[in-house]
Amino acid sequence: MSQAISREILAISLTSMQPPEEAASTNLTLKDSKTDEPINNELLLRPGEVGQMLLRLVNVANRPLQWQLRIVGDFPYDWCEWTQPNFEEIAPNQIVERVINFKVKVDFFENQLILNPENPLLQINYQSQIYIYIDEGREPQLIQYRIFHLLVRPNNTYLNFLPTLYREVDFIGRFVSILEQAFDPAVQTLDTLWAYLDPITAPKALLPFLAHWVGWEMDNRWDIERQRHLIRNAIILYRWHGTRYGLRLYLHLYTGLPLEQIQIREIFEQGFVLGSTYIGEDSMLGGGRPYHFIVELDLEPSNQIDEGLVRDMIERQKPAFCTYDLEINNL
C-alpha cells in the first residue's frame, strides 16, 4: 500500500478553465502550495464541448523526481481524456503544466440509459480526485491530492439575456433551458430560411413544394441532385423554351456534360449565301428537311445516359413543328 509523504517536495495547483458563474465567488487556496493563488475547484461541462482543468507542478526539492498523475471519481471514465502510462521526470525548480480534458456526450440529457435504476434522479454533479505519485526506486508514494467537482449543465444562451443575479441561480438556468430547447429550433429555422427556399440546400421533403411553386413537373427517372438543379433553373428554362440555348442548358443540367460536348446544329446554319460553297457541308442539291436540327452528345467512356429520357427532354424543349436527329458519340 502506498504511503503519503508529509513534507512538501512537489507543489501543485489546479485551475478550472471553465468555472461556473454560480460558483465564481467560491475560491480556495491549495494546501501546501508555495503561492496563495486562489483557484476554483469546480469545472463546468457542456454536453458535446471540451472542459479543461489546468494542472501546474513545481519541483521544490533539490533533486529530480519521477511523477505520475491518476484521476478517479464517480464520473464515467470515458469523459476524461488523460493518459500517462509511465512516470515522467521533473527537474529541480522546473515547472510543468498539463491540461486535463473532460468531454460529456452530446446526448447526455436526452439519453435515458444514464439513469441508474437504483437512483432514478439524473446526476449532474460529480466529484473527482487527482492523486500525484512519485517513484524513488521503491513502491510509488502518494505525495499530493486534490478534489474538484464536475458540474454538467445544458447549453443555454438565453441566460445571456438575464441579469447577473438570475444567472447565478442554477435552477433558473435549467428552467430557462427548457424554453430554449422548445423555441430554439424555430428560431434557427427562421435564421436559415433562405436555405429552405433554395432547391440545392432544401430538405428532400420540401422539393415537391418548391417544384409546384415554379410549375415544374418532377420526374422519378431523375436522381435527386439533377432534380434540384432543374427546379432551381426552371424559370430560365421557361424563358429560353424552344431555343437552341434553352435545349443545350436543359441537356447540360440533366447529363452533367460540359456545354462544349453538347452541340446543336442545323443543315443550313448560314442561310442563303452567294459565293463559294461546298456540297454536303454548307450546301445541298434538291430536297432538304426544313425545321430540322441535329443534337450531338460527346460522351466520355465513363459516362452513361438514358437515351430514351434524352429524347423525351428534347421533345419537351423543342418547337412542336421541328424534327431532329440524336447522335451520341463516344470519345
Side-chain angles (χ1 to χ4, degrees):
M1 181 177 180
S2 59
Q3 298 178 352
I5 299 178
S6 58
R7 64 185 184 277
E8 180 185 275
I9 59 176
L10 191 64
I12 72 172
S13 65
L14 195 65
T15 305
S16 171
M17 306 301 289
Q18 288 93 5
E21 293 185 7
E22 61 267 19
S25 60
T26 307
N27 296 325
L28 56 87
T29 302
L30 290 177
K31 182 180 180 182
D32 299 330
S33 177
K34 288 292 186 182
T35 65
D36 294 330
E37 178 186 359
I39 64 168
N40 193 292
N41 69 332
E42 293 182 339
L43 176 63
L44 178 64
L45 296 178
R46 304 289 190 185
E49 300 180 2
V50 177
Q52 296 180 329
M53 296 289 290
L54 177 62
L55 174 70
R56 188 171 185 268
L57 303 176
V58 181
N59 186 359
V60 297
N62 56 4
R63 65 184 187 281
L65 299 174
Q66 299 290 330
W67 69 278
Q68 187 181 46
L69 179 144
R70 300 175 187 176
I71 304 175
V72 297
D74 58 353
F75 59 90
Y77 288 121
D78 59 349
W79 289 6
C80 183
E81 301 176 359
W82 171 265
T83 55
Q84 188 187 11
N86 303 316
F87 282 82
E88 299 180 14
E89 182 175 314
I90 179 171
N93 299 320
Q94 181 183 357
I95 300 176
V96 175
E97 292 185 349
R98 294 287 188 273
V99 175
I100 306 173
N101 294 329
F102 293 88
K103 185 175 182 180
V104 180
K105 294 183 177 180
V106 67
D107 61 345
F108 174 82
F109 289 101
E110 292 78 14
N111 188 359
Q112 297 301 318
L113 297 178
I114 61 179
L115 297 178
N116 188 343
E118 300 178 357
N119 183 15
L121 297 178
L122 178 63
Q123 183 179 357
I124 58 175
N125 298 330
Y126 299 85
Q127 179 173 294
S128 306
Q129 300 86 34
I130 287 183
Y131 297 102
I132 302 293
Y133 292 85
I134 64 171
D135 185 5
E136 295 186 316
R138 301 183 300 273
E139 184 180 0
Q141 297 178 322
L142 174 65
I143 60 168
Q144 296 281 8
Y145 77 94
R146 295 292 180 265
I147 298 176
F148 66 95
H149 300 86
L150 303 176
L151 309 181
V152 183
R153 299 295 184 266
N155 296 308
N156 195 340
T157 59
Y158 282 22
L159 279 178
N160 299 331
F161 301 98
L162 297 179
T164 305
L165 176 64
Y166 295 104
R167 293 203 301 265
E168 294 177 351
V169 181
D170 181 60
F171 170 77
I172 296 295
R174 284 183 283 168
F175 178 76
V176 173
S177 177
I178 298 175
L179 302 178
E180 180 175 1
Q181 294 181 28
F183 293 105
D184 198 53
V187 174
Q188 292 181 3
T189 300
L190 293 176
D191 291 340
T192 58
L193 186 60
W194 62 269
Y196 287 84
L197 301 180
D198 188 340
I200 302 299
T201 57
K204 182 179 179 180
L206 198 58
L207 287 181
F209 167 76
L210 297 177
H212 179 74
W213 198 1
V214 295
W216 184 263
E217 181 182 354
M218 297 188 65
D219 194 326
N220 293 330
R221 292 176 295 176
W222 299 321
D223 59 51
I224 189 65
E225 292 303 320
R226 287 190 174 95
Q227 293 195 52
R228 290 180 183 275
H229 287 280
L230 289 171
I231 295 172
R232 190 181 196 186
N233 293 274
I235 303 301
I236 299 178
L237 294 175
Y238 294 155
R239 182 183 304 164
W240 293 97
H241 183 82
T243 65
R244 177 185 301 184
Y245 174 80
L247 180 56
R248 290 185 70 202
L249 177 60
Y250 199 179
L251 294 173
H252 164 69
L253 294 174
Y254 166 68
T255 62
L257 294 175
L259 291 175
E260 294 78 10
Q261 297 179 221
I262 303 174
Q263 301 296 331
I264 300 177
R265 58 186 178 86
E266 302 178 43
I267 297 178
F268 294 105
E269 293 185 348
Q270 297 181 355
F272 183 74
V273 179
L274 293 177
S276 60
T277 61
Y278 296 92
I279 302 299
E281 295 185 9
D282 56 1
S283 64
M284 61 185 300
L285 295 176
R289 301 174 63 182
Y291 310 113
H292 184 79
F293 61 91
I294 300 173
V295 178
E296 294 185 1
L297 302 180
D298 298 329
L299 300 182
E300 300 288 345
S302 58
N303 290 343
Q304 299 292 333
I305 62 172
D306 186 345
E307 182 177 347
L309 182 56
V310 171
R311 291 186 178 274
D312 186 38
M313 295 169 59
I314 297 175
E315 290 289 343
R316 292 184 183 186
Q317 191 68 20
K318 74 177 183 63
F321 54 84
C322 290
T323 59
Y324 72 94
D325 288 330
L326 175 62
E327 298 180 2
I328 299 178
N329 305 318
N330 294 321
L331 297 178

